[in-house]
Amino acid sequence: MHIPLLDIHIPAWAGRLLGVVAFVVVLALLHRILFAVLRRVAARTTTRTDDILLARLGKPTFWLTIVIALAASGPGLDLPRYWETIWQRVLGLLTPAVFGWMLLAALTVYRDISEVRFDITAADNLRARRRRTRISILHRIGVFVLVMLTVMMMLMSIPSVRTIGVTLAASAGVAGLAIGAAAQPALKNVIAGIQMAFTEPIRIDDVVIIENEWGRIEDIRLTYVVVRIWDDRRLVVPVSKFLENSFQNWTRETSALLGSVFWYLDPAADVPRIRAKLETVVRANPRWDQRFFNLQVTDSKPDGTMEVRGLMTAKDASTAFDLRCDVREAIYAFIRDEMPEALPRDRFMRAPAAPSPSAPS
């Protein structure tokens, strides 16, 4: 019994389209297999650089592979003029978008790797904070520029938009002046952010006092800075304020600080004995960095007390604050238990009594 085979006729354009789809699918599978192998290799290494690289570049390279495959197979489709025009328009939009995404991912990889390399949790983190701050600001500038260029390239691929752009070029000067006048505060902060990346008045994790608030620089954006206040509030400050106004930076050159503690005692207090106790307290405290300490009588107050100041050093501002609290409490406990006579007392000067008049004889 003979069963004739079905004669299925596939149009030529459909066959070419299936070939393009097969080509794209094969390249996509090869990309998936390659990255799966690379992830297994990266999992066996101790460094995080390769993990960051694969995590950030996985999706952009996948879509870049797809776009390159579509662009390479386009001439083989032999499409009619109308569909070929649409094909070119789609690729004209996708190609700069994917390349821009790829460049953004590479820029982000550099930032993430730098954050791993430069650890700001170390004791001596000045160089790390300097590099992290500069890279963070330059990364945001780079993202802004890349996004603008990518959008411009995508729009330039459309002939009608390109024609409109040429027509509007004559009025760009007037429009630029108007936009510049309206956006002067924003542009001012953007320029200040770029300047901050190179002048470095502040860095990530710097301890500052601004607006009468003590806090750490938590984040530096292109137009504003986030300061984490000691009680976990966030103070958002325009970047230009750090360049135009004065503020205190406690970690500009080094994180080590000199802390002070004041006591107001009776002038009859035994200062050498208190100084010896301070030495014992400071040397026994693990927060002291073993650089310097002393105790001096620095002032006399109108209320009859004397001002005694103790100085001690610590590795950073937070440790110095805790060390000062420890020392203040220990010295007051010592005075209370062993030297109560050092506590301030009120003294009144009584005038001598006038002689009573003699009685008449």
Side-chain angles (χ1 to χ4, degrees):
M1 182 177 178
H2 176 71
I3 301 176
L5 296 175
L6 295 176
D7 187 12
I8 301 176
H9 177 70
I10 299 177
W13 64 267
R16 291 193 294 268
L17 184 60
L18 287 175
V20 171
V21 171
F23 179 57
V24 171
V25 169
V26 169
L27 287 182
L29 288 176
L30 289 176
H31 178 276
R32 294 291 189 187
I33 294 171
L34 176 62
F35 265 74
V37 173
L38 291 176
R39 287 191 182 95
R40 288 195 168 220
V41 174
R44 298 177 181 177
T45 62
T46 57
T47 179
R48 290 182 54 195
T49 302
D50 46 11
D51 299 315
I52 295 173
L53 193 67
L54 294 174
R56 290 290 186 184
L57 298 182
K59 290 184 178 180
T61 54
F62 174 79
W63 288 106
L64 183 63
T65 302
I66 300 298
V67 170
I68 292 175
L70 292 175
S73 58
L77 287 174
D78 195 17
L79 295 173
R81 184 175 182 82
Y82 174 75
W83 290 106
E84 184 179 359
T85 301
I86 294 178
W87 182 271
Q88 294 298 329
R89 296 291 178 270
V90 172
L91 287 178
L93 290 172
L94 289 179
T95 302
V98 174
F99 270 101
W101 186 11
M102 185 72 185
L103 292 175
L104 285 175
L107 195 62
T108 306
V109 165
Y110 178 70
R111 183 202 64 185
D112 293 346
I113 292 176
S114 299
E115 289 181 355
V116 174
R117 285 185 56 197
F118 303 105
D119 183 16
I120 62 174
T121 61
D124 187 10
N125 60 358
L126 179 61
R127 180 172 178 268
R129 290 188 291 107
R130 177 179 296 168
R131 295 297 298 272
R132 285 275 292 269
T133 301
R134 180 171 296 180
I135 291 170
S136 177
I137 297 176
L138 293 179
H139 171 262
R140 291 188 175 94
I141 296 172
V143 169
F144 176 78
V145 172
L146 280 176
V147 169
M148 293 295 295
L149 290 177
T150 301
V151 172
M152 290 172 56
M153 294 300 295
M154 292 175 65
L155 293 178
M156 290 298 289
S157 67
I158 306 174
S160 58
V161 175
R162 185 165 59 242
T163 304
I164 294 174
V166 173
T167 304
L168 294 177
S171 59
V174 179
L177 290 175
I179 294 173
Q184 184 179 0
L187 292 175
K188 177 182 178 182
N189 283 314
V190 170
I191 295 172
I194 298 173
Q195 184 180 353
M196 184 176 290
F198 297 97
T199 58
E200 295 182 350
I202 56 173
R203 307 181 187 94
I204 297 294
D205 206 44
D206 264 349
V207 176
V208 298
I209 295 181
I210 187 168
E211 300 289 345
N212 295 322
E213 297 283 2
W214 184 98
R216 289 182 178 273
I217 302 297
E218 185 176 58
D219 194 9
I220 301 177
R221 298 283 179 173
L222 193 57
T223 58
Y224 64 91
V225 177
V226 179
V227 182
R228 181 178 179 178
I229 307 303
W230 64 273
D231 57 359
D232 282 343
R233 290 177 294 149
R234 265 62 174 182
L235 182 65
V236 180
V237 185
V239 168
S240 59
K241 193 159 190 175
F242 286 95
L243 298 176
E244 297 175 353
N245 299 331
S246 300
F247 64 95
Q248 294 186 38
N249 188 336
W250 288 15
T251 53
R252 181 69 179 88
E253 296 297 334
T254 177
S255 59
L257 285 178
L258 178 68
S260 60
V261 181
F262 292 90
W263 298 273
Y264 296 92
L265 306 176
D266 191 88
D270 187 353
V271 176
R273 189 178 172 191
I274 299 174
R275 185 177 292 117
K277 181 61 178 179
L278 176 72
E279 179 177 0
T280 303
V281 171
V282 171
R283 290 188 181 278
N285 197 306
R287 294 188 173 96
W288 181 55
D289 64 0
Q290 301 182 3
R291 287 192 298 127
F292 175 78
F293 74 89
N294 80 344
L295 184 140
Q296 294 175 307
V297 178
T298 53
D299 201 0
S300 296
K301 299 298 180 180
D303 60 357
T305 61
M306 67 176 178
E307 180 184 83
V308 179
R309 184 190 68 184
L311 297 178
M312 58 227 66
T313 56
K315 64 179 181 179
D316 55 42
S318 299
T319 307
F321 179 81
D322 292 335
L323 176 61
R324 291 165 57 204
C325 293
D326 293 344
V327 171
R328 183 183 294 111
E329 180 180 350
I331 296 299
Y332 269 129
F334 169 73
I335 293 174
R336 179 198 64 211
D337 297 336
E338 302 185 28
M339 294 182 60
E341 68 277 7
L343 295 174
R345 289 174 291 178
D346 291 332
R347 289 180 170 83
F348 299 96
M349 298 297 295
R350 180 176 297 177
S356 58
S358 58
S361 56

